[in-house]
Amino acid sequence: MENNQKALNLLGLSLRAGSLTMGEGLVLKAIQQRKVALVLVAADASQATRDKFSAKGDFYHVPVMIAFTKQAMSQALGRPRTIVGITEPGFAQRLIALLKT
């Protein structure tokens, strides 16, 4: 199985484990409160959205990765999503490892 598919499966697993924050406003708030270990932004999100989350991530020292499409992310989560924050450090580290290879 390719790494992208493994990462999407892990994303779905983290949802079932209750380790996700979803939605732009909630993820921004979680970044500011340092409650997320990783933020994933869909590659086909608007440039302004990608820039905003990259800047917030840099400021608060939270890794932000641009990965997947809105469709792939939504399919993995079972609901339409463009931005998710992973709150569990173990899931975040594994996702980073999968997406960097």
Side-chain angles (χ1 to χ4, degrees):
M1 192 184 303
E2 67 175 75
N3 283 348
N4 253 6
Q5 188 58 50
K6 286 181 182 178
L8 285 168
N9 290 346
L10 187 62
L11 198 57
L13 182 64
S14 62
L15 172 66
R16 290 188 294 281
S19 299
L20 284 187
T21 301
M22 297 184 283
E24 194 170 321
L26 292 174
V27 173
L28 270 177
K29 189 174 181 180
I31 291 171
Q32 292 165 345
Q33 295 173 346
R34 293 178 172 83
K35 290 185 177 179
V36 290
L38 171 66
V39 175
L40 289 177
V41 181
D44 53 352
S46 72
Q47 186 64 46
T49 299
R50 292 191 311 243
D51 291 345
K52 175 169 56 172
F53 280 91
S54 292
K56 285 287 184 192
D58 288 345
F59 184 80
Y60 288 99
H61 306 290
V62 174
V64 175
M65 297 187 83
I66 310 297
F68 312 122
T69 61
K70 290 179 191 178
Q71 180 183 1
M73 199 180 284
S74 298
Q75 190 172 5
L77 298 172
R79 55 193 76 151
R81 291 292 176 246
T82 306
I83 298 158
V84 295
I86 291 86
T87 57
E88 171 60 43
F91 282 128
Q93 290 170 352
R94 183 70 181 130
L95 275 166
I96 289 169
L98 284 170
L99 293 173
K100 284 195 174 182
T101 56

